[in-house]
Amino acid sequence: MSRSRALQYYVFTRLLLAPLMLWTITTVVFLLLRATPGDPVDAILGSRAPEAAKEALRSQLGLKGSLWQQYFDYMGKLLHFDLGTSLTSRGQTVWEIIQAHFPATVELALFSMIIALVVGITVGAVAASHPDTVWDTGGRLFGIITYAVPPFWAGMLFQLIFAVQLGWFPLGTRFPVTVPAPEGWSGLYTLDSLLTLNWMQLGVSLYYLFLPSVTLGLLLSGIFERIVRVNLKQTLKADYVEAARARGIPELRIVVAHALKNAMIPVITVLGLTFAALLGGAILTEVTFSWPGLANRLYEAISFRDYPTVQGIVVFFAAIVVVASILIDVLNACIDPRIRY
């Protein structure tokens, strides 16, 4: 089988498995939510509400009937791309919640990923090009510390230092309520303000985005630092690198133009999966900085046992992870001809 045919077969197989993966995730979340103690009706009306009111709300929310009936009703709606209606936001569908909060999460994830890549690749490259020195030891410690520090602790520490003590940045939120927020088709404040050439709104957006994105980006940079440092060390020992050194090519050019390019192949795989995980895994950072993103909305839905919202957001994030993993595999196959399927 030729390489192109093998790649097509692999992509086709992954596409067939994608609905199975989404169905498994949806089923597990559905069962786990209903296995946890507590009643969402009590969370909405309170435990002292009249029983008749509770039964009426339970019937309105589709929580009456057996577990199987609730499951098949939900899966039937999901097949028609109906994620349901939120229990805590009366009249608001889950799709409307996703559309309202997802741009904030995307903006935070994009800027955090840029910071993580720049810092991680730079520190990893410097550490690998100076083996067994203080630079190598410092890079190793940087990767371990940033990987081990909890996001919520780092967020509160940065808030205490840069927002409370120094007063350089705001404690949280995405945009001040006293200033009109940027309006546009994307929902990304930085992009919308840039497209409308509103430099004041762009500056305010970046000002409020800086601290949470730096916090999350620094913690993620340790992942890339470790990968770049390990792979670049191995690449610098390759025969073609030794040949380049024998020809008198400067060391900086060897590292940047030759060795780093090959060492970046594993980074591409981690980059895609890390970004997909960022979209659903920035919950602690968004909650710490009161960032109105989809992960923060998921946290609120879990707290109030909002079944449809939790299930809809999890399915949405799961679809992003599945698509991202397929795209990264295809990209790796196109970049690295040694990959076979």
Side-chain angles (χ1 to χ4, degrees):
M1 184 182 298
S2 64
R3 173 179 168 79
S4 60
R5 290 289 301 274
L7 180 59
Q8 292 174 6
Y9 176 77
Y10 172 77
V11 173
F12 180 72
T13 304
R14 291 292 302 272
L15 291 176
L16 288 180
L17 291 175
L20 178 61
M21 297 170 61
L22 293 176
W23 171 78
T24 303
I25 295 172
T26 304
T27 303
V28 170
V29 173
F30 179 90
L31 295 176
L32 287 178
L33 284 175
R34 283 156 179 78
T36 54
D39 190 347
V41 175
D42 289 339
I44 297 173
L45 298 179
S47 58
R48 297 184 179 181
E51 195 62 33
K54 290 183 179 181
E55 289 298 322
L57 182 59
R58 191 173 284 108
S59 177
Q60 177 185 350
L61 299 177
L63 298 177
K64 295 192 69 175
S66 65
L67 183 64
W68 286 109
Q69 289 176 333
Q70 297 180 36
Y71 175 73
F72 285 122
D73 288 343
Y74 176 74
M75 294 305 296
K77 293 180 180 179
L78 191 60
L79 290 175
H80 293 87
F81 300 98
D82 181 7
L83 297 178
T85 304
S86 171
L87 304 185
T88 53
S89 302
R90 299 293 182 86
Q92 190 175 25
T93 64
V94 178
W95 273 120
E96 291 174 344
I97 292 175
I98 293 175
Q99 292 172 357
H101 294 274
F102 187 58
T105 298
V106 172
E107 192 167 42
L108 177 62
L110 282 173
F111 279 84
S112 300
M113 185 59 68
I114 292 173
I115 294 173
L117 281 173
V118 172
V119 175
I121 294 175
T122 302
V123 176
V126 171
S129 58
H130 298 81
D132 302 324
T133 63
V134 66
W135 297 102
D136 190 15
T137 305
R140 190 179 303 131
L141 289 175
F142 176 84
I144 295 173
I145 293 174
T146 53
Y147 187 78
V149 170
F152 69 91
W153 184 84
M156 291 188 293
L157 182 63
F158 283 3
Q159 283 179 324
L160 181 62
I161 296 174
F162 298 105
V164 178
Q165 298 293 335
L166 299 176
W168 292 352
F169 300 98
L171 276 172
T173 197
R174 190 183 182 194
F175 211 82
V177 295
T178 57
V179 181
E183 297 181 358
W185 59 270
S186 69
L188 307 178
Y189 285 177
T190 51
L191 179 60
D192 291 336
S193 58
L194 188 62
L195 292 177
T196 57
L197 302 179
N198 193 324
W199 307 116
M200 186 273 293
Q201 289 183 337
L202 177 61
V204 174
S205 301
L206 293 173
Y207 176 64
Y208 276 77
L209 181 62
F210 183 83
L211 197 57
S213 60
V214 167
T215 302
L216 192 57
L218 285 178
L219 298 183
L220 289 173
S221 64
I223 301 175
F224 299 107
E225 185 277 335
R226 292 159 67 93
I227 296 174
V228 170
R229 183 174 56 84
V230 172
N231 286 278
L232 187 57
K233 273 188 174 183
Q234 295 177 350
T235 306
L236 289 174
K237 298 177 182 178
D239 293 338
Y240 73 91
V241 174
E242 296 295 336
R245 287 171 178 159
R247 289 196 297 269
I249 299 176
E251 186 70 18
L252 180 61
R253 183 179 176 185
I254 293 175
V255 173
V256 175
H258 300 282
L260 188 59
K261 184 188 302 183
N262 291 331
M264 287 294 293
I265 293 176
V267 175
I268 296 175
T269 303
V270 178
L271 172 64
L273 297 179
T274 302
F275 183 74
L278 253 181
L279 298 177
I283 295 179
L284 296 176
T285 302
E286 290 191 1
V287 171
T288 303
F289 288 94
S290 300
W291 190 262
L294 194 57
N296 196 357
R297 188 63 182 84
L298 176 61
Y299 170 78
E300 295 175 358
I302 294 174
S303 302
F304 289 102
R305 294 176 57 81
D306 190 344
Y307 293 160
T309 304
V310 174
Q311 292 167 166
I313 294 177
V314 170
V315 170
F316 181 72
F317 281 142
I320 293 176
V321 173
V322 170
V323 173
S325 63
I326 295 176
L327 292 178
I328 290 301
D329 286 341
V330 175
L331 181 61
N332 269 338
C334 295
I335 294 176
D336 191 355
R338 297 170 298 178
I339 295 179
R340 292 290 183 269
Y341 295 95

